[in-house]
Amino acid sequence: MDSRDIQSIFDRFYRADRSRDRNKGGHGLGLSIARIIILRHGGKIHVKSKLGEGSVFSVILKLERNNSCEGISDN
């Protein structure tokens, strides 16, 4: 993915692949929706990409411990 695309991939309806259109599949909403869900859960999403090699997405979410689980044992 080109570095110019990385800054826009989380925008709604954005397509990095210029050859794709609505008739060939995809609506450009997947990463936008993923980002919204992750942010609403207090997380972060990062992407690293090399043109022609691929992209790696990292999602970081907080782990909360709920100590109010009465009646549940660790056994």
Side-chain angles (χ1 to χ4, degrees), residues 3-44:
S3 61
R4 291 174 287 163
D5 291 321
I6 289 176
Q7 299 190 14
S8 302
I9 59 171
F10 296 107
D11 296 344
R12 288 180 296 157
F13 308 114
Y14 184 79
R15 288 186 178 89
D17 185 351
R18 308 291 185 262
S19 67
R20 296 185 91 180
D21 63 22
R22 291 182 185 162
N23 296 325
K24 292 183 181 178
H27 296 283
L29 291 171
L31 287 174
S32 174
I33 292 169
R35 180 178 175 270
I36 290 168
I37 292 169
I38 293 164
L39 291 176
R40 295 257 169 100
H41 283 81
K44 297 178 184 179

Side-chain angles (χ1 to χ4, degrees), residues 10 34-48 56-64:
F10 296 107
R35 180 178 175 270
I36 290 168
I37 292 169
I38 293 164
L39 291 176
R40 295 257 169 100
H41 283 81
K44 297 178 184 179
I45 184 168
H46 300 279
V47 61
K48 289 184 182 181
V56 174
F57 290 83
S58 301
V59 175
I60 301 169
L61 296 172
K62 294 179 183 180
L63 177 64
E64 291 185 22

